[in-house]
Amino acid sequence: MPVTKEMVEEYKQKWKEINARPIKRVAEAKARKKRRMLKKMEQAKKKAEAVVNTADISERVPTFLKEKMAQLKSIYKKAGVKKEKREVTYLVAKKGVGKKVRRPRGVKGLFKVVDGRMKKDMRGAQRKEQRAKGGKGKGRQPKGGKGKRGK
């Protein structure tokens, strides 16, 4: 039976659409994760409301507010609710400039000025520390322990 190019392309397109869909199990796992997160959020909200509604207004108001804030932070931290970390662009500083750098063109969002030598210095320090400990380590040991005869 002859198959035309158009038919082949059509089938290819259909398969592409089918493969693009997320797998059922993946979708289910994501839904479970979302449900768990919502449950944790609800519990955290209840605890936070209980902390906020405690009426213990005394003469030490500023410290009391700080304590409440600390409690709220710990509640949300335990719940695992975090803001998404913003993308930080690292900018290697030139010699003698330091931290006084204006935003370069093409850099959007948060950026951090870092020292060009910093990474190399850290690696050097780690290497020196390793040498002080005693070389590269033991290497691969035979399964039996000390070898064939040294049991």
Side-chain angles (χ1 to χ4, degrees), residues 126-127 129-141:
Q126 285 173 346
R127 235 180 278 122
E129 197 176 285
Q130 201 71 35
R131 253 185 265 126
K133 279 185 183 176
K136 293 182 180 178
K138 293 180 182 177
R140 189 176 170 276
Q141 292 281 315

Side-chain angles (χ1 to χ4, degrees), residues 85-93 99 101-115 118:
K85 285 192 175 180
R86 288 185 286 178
E87 199 66 34
V88 179
T89 308
Y90 291 105
L91 189 73
V92 179
K99 298 268 183 185
V101 178
R102 281 189 297 188
R103 179 179 299 282
R105 281 187 308 195
V107 174
K108 291 180 181 176
L110 206 65
F111 75 97
K112 189 175 184 180
V113 180
V114 293
D115 184 13
M118 202 161 47

